[in-house]
Amino acid sequence: MNVTFNRFTKALVIFVIFDFFMFFVLEAIFWMQPFVYNILLEMFNNPPKSLDFSMHALVLKKLFINQGFYNLFFALGGIAGLFYINKNKAVGYALISLVCFSATGAGIVLTLTSKAYILAFLQTVPATIALFKVYPLLKKELNM
């Protein structure tokens, strides 16, 4: 079986990276914007009725900044993986596999713990497909 890092796989990986980066921007930079926290709080959890969304967002602000930076670091790992494919394929494929595995796992957790099913689908499915396409390339580079 001839497996290559083709345009489709690269596009999936870029989508996964973009997804991580987009959530960095939403969570770490724009979290306190009503448009952002209203949508995300409604999707991810229902705050107690005694707290309105603005107060709930304020309470969760530092948590979401931290979470946003986790997303940034995964995005940077994916970018590094794409860069390293040209220098050291095993390192590149390993970084991309880690990023796609993390997105897949996070998407599954999101599905099980929220009603953000569309976001979970968009996070999980492209990452899973990319992982199934990249992992054999990693194994091949490592002679496994």
Side-chain angles (χ1 to χ4, degrees), residues 42-97:
E42 182 67 37
M43 232 182 280
F44 295 129
N45 79 36
N46 289 318
K49 299 295 180 205
S50 60
L51 286 179
D52 64 2
F53 276 9
S54 63
M55 185 57 69
H56 199 68
L58 187 60
V59 168
L60 294 174
K61 180 180 178 182
K62 289 181 182 179
L63 176 72
F64 271 87
I65 290 171
N66 183 271
Q67 184 172 308
F69 274 90
Y70 271 90
N71 285 313
L72 174 64
F73 301 141
F74 277 116
L76 293 174
I79 291 168
L82 290 175
F83 171 78
Y84 270 102
I85 284 176
N86 298 322
K87 307 284 184 200
N88 182 330
K89 288 187 185 326
V91 171
Y93 294 144
L95 286 167
I96 290 169
S97 294

Side-chain angles (χ1 to χ4, degrees), residues 5 13 16 23 39 50 54 62 80-83 89 91 96 111 115 122 136 144:
F5 192 73
V13 170
V16 172
F23 276 95
I39 289 173
S50 60
S54 63
K62 289 181 182 179
L82 290 175
F83 171 78
K89 288 187 185 326
V91 171
I96 290 169
T111 301
K115 52 186 177 177
L122 291 173
M144 293 175 63

